[in-house]
Amino acid sequence: MQQVVHDPDHMRALVHEARAAGQRVGFVPTMGALHAGHASLVARASRECDVVVVSIFVNPTQFGPQEDFTRYPRTLAADTALLAAHGVRWIYAPEASSVYPPGDATRIVVGGPAVRFEGEQRPGHFDGVATVVCKLFLAVPADVAYFGAKDWQQSLVVKRMVRDLGLPIGIVVCPTMREPDGLAMSSRNAYLSVADRPRAVALSESLHRAAELWSAGADTATIERTMRETLSSHGVVIDYAALADPESLDPLPKNATRAIALVAGRLGSTRLIDNMELPTRGSPERGAET
Ligand code: PAF
């Protein structure tokens, strides 16, 4: 039987009890507006754990002042039904006042993989993510937590925080789920206008172009230019389109063998992000990168 839990102390006690009884507990943190991408995380957690907890909390501290916190889709009834169908035991849906009590004055400040890309575009975003994820891990002291590769940079930030703070939880990153035309599933896709929806395929197309060129030995500048051209040709206003080291997100060294391609841009008022890990290549880049 599924249970919605609002109180962090109650939630923690339930997880402790389950683990004391020898059950492996899996945790999927979300902001709700659940879709097939979230369902795939829950399915993986269900396969690998005895009990699954899903949190639903639209976290104010990871939204900038001009961002979509107030209009972020809130679909609790549909979310609860989807999670019931997936056999989720507990939904943790805390009140904002229990996550951020009156007078709250403490934040986790993240660097390293948080600095570039989304970190530049959305100042403070990853401090808000790290702070809430840490608080969620305290309320849901699970064995393992599941995150989507769609938010690759977020998953690196969480892994780094877990390592740096010595948090006793495993992190599993699951593949991005895509619509039939390649658009990465996201709660924000619901904002796309009818006219913009077909244009959104530009993000995944630009990543596929990057993968082709990378495999053919092209240099970083050529690949990034092609990604930008693909995005612009569909009317996407580009925030970034770049290759980086997949673990640190630092700029690629010359002769890199591993890379991730990352894109972010806007269609109308909808901001979309996507990424793709590129196939490891053995030979040095052909282009001069001096
Ligand atoms: O990826 C998300 O939905 C959110 O950033 C998370 C991890 C639930 C923190 O609010």
Side-chain angles (χ1 to χ4, degrees):
M1 248 286 277
Q2 188 177 72
Q3 188 183 356
V4 180
V5 181
H6 300 288
D7 178 60
D9 296 331
H10 184 202
M11 186 70 253
R12 194 178 309 111
L14 290 168
V15 173
H16 278 150
E17 207 178 305
R19 292 186 66 181
Q23 295 189 305
R24 181 173 169 80
V25 178
F27 177 38
V28 182
T30 82
M31 298 205 298
L34 303 180
H35 49 68
H38 296 109
S40 76
L41 303 183
V42 172
R44 172 92 177 258
S46 303
R47 281 198 303 278
E48 297 179 355
C49 301
D50 303 302
V51 187
V52 178
V53 187
V54 175
S55 65
I56 297 181
F57 179 66
V58 185
N59 173 38
T61 64
Q62 68 188 77
F63 290 80
Q66 310 303 326
E67 293 184 10
D68 55 344
F69 174 67
T70 45
R71 74 165 178 148
Y72 196 85
R74 287 158 172 87
T75 56
L76 189 59
D79 293 348
T80 315
L82 181 144
L83 297 175
H86 281 80
V88 167
R89 169 98 58 93
W90 294 307
I91 297 174
Y92 176 50
E95 299 296 336
S97 59
S98 68
V99 180
Y100 297 106
D104 149 77
T106 305
R107 291 289 174 275
I108 293 179
V109 177
V110 287
V115 172
R116 301 183 72 207
F117 305 117
E118 293 302 290
E120 283 165 352
Q121 298 292 323
R122 307 180 66 189
H125 168 69
F126 285 125
D127 293 348
V129 169
T131 301
V132 80
V133 169
C134 188
K135 286 168 181 263
L136 291 169
F137 286 173
L138 288 168
V140 186
D143 293 272
V144 57
Y146 296 82
F147 291 83
K150 148 98 179 13
D151 295 302
W152 184 263
Q153 191 171 8
Q154 169 173 277
S155 70
L156 293 178
V157 170
V158 169
K159 283 196 272 188
R160 185 72 69 93
M161 173 184 73
V162 164
R163 189 204 70 176
D164 290 352
L165 300 183
L167 301 179
I169 190 163
I171 303 297
V172 171
V173 181
C174 305
T176 302
M177 299 297 286
R178 296 182 180 279
E179 302 289 353
D181 68 352
L183 176 65
M185 289 190 183
S186 163
S187 306
R188 290 191 168 97
N189 293 351
Y191 300 153
L192 285 165
S193 69
V194 173
D196 285 338
R197 172 60 189 85
R199 297 190 186 115
V201 75
L203 280 86
S204 61
E205 261 182 41
S206 71
L207 298 172
H208 283 294
R209 289 290 294 131
E212 282 162 18
L213 290 168
W214 171 261
S215 297
D219 63 275
T220 301
T222 303
I223 298 173
E224 291 180 344
R225 191 175 58 248
T226 305
M227 289 163 73
R228 285 196 298 273
E229 283 166 3
T230 308
L231 292 164
S232 301
S233 69
H234 288 78
V236 176
V237 179
I238 301 167
D239 281 348
Y240 55 80
L243 301 190
D245 178 272
E247 303 306 328
S248 64
L249 295 189
D250 287 341
L252 283 187
K254 207 176 167 210
N255 300 341
T257 56
R258 294 187 60 218
I260 186 159
L262 304 120
V263 288
R266 278 160 288 127
L267 279 166
S269 60
T270 309
R271 186 168 185 277
L272 300 171
I273 65 172
D274 201 354
N275 66 76
M276 187 180 285
E277 244 191 304
L278 305 182
T280 303
R281 68 180 185 187
S283 54
E285 292 183 5
R286 276 197 231 119
E289 297 235 1
T290 50

